[in-house]
Amino acid sequence: MSKLSLYFQSMYSNLRPYLNTVLILFGISIVIGIAAFSFYPKLLLQILDVFKDKFGADPSLDFALVLDIFKQNLIASLIGLFGGLLLGLGSILFILFNGFIIGYIITAILVTGGQEGILQSIIYLILGLVPHGIVEIPTFLLVSALGLRLGLFYLKKQNKGFRLQVFLKDLKLSILSIPAIAILLFLAALLEVYVTGSLLK
């Protein structure tokens, strides 16, 4: 247990500057998403259409939906992780996209649900985001931080002369993190379908 604790402490220490960067980008993208609703509210319909295309207009809250959501999030996360190889660009776009969508959807729910009462909209928002978001969002942040480190850390001046070794070490860390990322995303998908879905129903 102590070895596992030390491993996670070491991992956090190595990722901390990249996590800080990712958190800042995530916050900025949420603000942009909030502002975007004022200028382009019709984007909500397009987002809903994408959801319908992927999962159906009224998806059944069953294990098949869990697998669909898990597969979509895992593929997106792997792209976000290894997209970091492009000087961190893929990881940055991944977290910016997710932050933007969250900010936009939060604003859409609060604004369009205002007719039924702001309190009801806030409750709907909490029920719709918190149960699975407490697992899914930190996982996305971790993915982006790993990808950012993978694409940038070996280029630092301090690693001159042994950049290949540093890069391979970070690549190994990213690959070894995939099972944990998959488990977290699967848990998030279970919560999204069986907890979030049931509460919203």
Side-chain angles (χ1 to χ4, degrees):
M1 185 66 179
S2 60
K3 289 184 178 180
L4 186 62
S5 177
L6 288 173
Y7 170 78
F8 283 113
Q9 287 178 16
S10 174
M11 183 178 182
Y12 172 73
S13 178
N14 291 331
L15 287 177
R16 184 166 55 185
Y18 300 96
L19 279 170
N20 291 339
T21 300
V22 165
L23 281 169
I24 292 170
L25 292 173
F26 187 61
I28 291 171
S29 62
I30 288 176
V31 172
I32 293 173
I34 291 171
F37 183 81
S38 300
F39 297 100
Y40 194 32
K42 291 184 179 179
L43 178 61
L44 178 63
L45 297 177
Q46 297 178 26
I47 293 173
L48 293 174
D49 285 341
V50 170
F51 180 85
K52 290 176 183 177
D53 289 341
K54 288 184 177 181
F55 306 112
D58 187 22
S60 300
L61 299 178
D62 54 19
F63 194 69
L65 181 59
V66 171
L67 292 178
D68 282 344
I69 293 172
F70 167 68
K71 181 176 68 173
Q72 293 287 339
N73 285 340
L74 182 60
I75 291 172
S77 294
L78 291 177
I79 292 172
L81 175 59
F82 294 108
L85 290 169
L86 300 172
L87 300 177
L89 182 61
S91 303
I92 291 172
L93 291 176
F94 174 73
I95 202 63
L96 288 177
F97 174 79
N98 281 285
F100 176 87
I101 292 296
I102 288 173
Y104 191 94
I105 294 296
I106 287 173
T107 309
I109 290 173
L110 292 176
V111 172
T112 59
Q115 298 172 351
E116 298 179 1
I118 189 67
L119 180 59
Q120 185 171 343
S121 297
I122 291 173
I123 292 172
Y124 184 83
L125 185 62
I126 292 171
L127 295 178
L129 183 61
V130 172
H132 68 279
I134 56 174
V135 177
E136 188 175 275
I137 293 173
T139 304
F140 287 163
L141 294 172
L142 172 63
V143 165
S144 296
L146 282 167
L148 207 56
R149 179 182 169 94
L150 178 62
L152 297 177
F153 183 65
Y154 75 100
L155 296 173
K156 284 195 168 186
K157 186 183 293 187
Q158 67 196 62
N159 296 320
K160 187 177 181 180
F162 48 96
R163 287 197 169 102
L164 180 60
Q165 296 95 314
V166 172
F167 172 77
L168 291 175
K169 182 180 178 181
D170 284 341
L171 181 61
K172 181 181 178 181
L173 173 65
S174 297
I175 293 172
L176 290 177
S177 299
I178 292 175
I181 291 168
I183 290 171
L184 289 170
L185 290 176
F186 184 69
L187 175 59
L190 284 170
L191 291 170
E192 187 167 356
V193 172
Y194 293 117
V195 178
T196 302
S198 297
L199 289 172
L200 293 183
K201 280 287 185 179

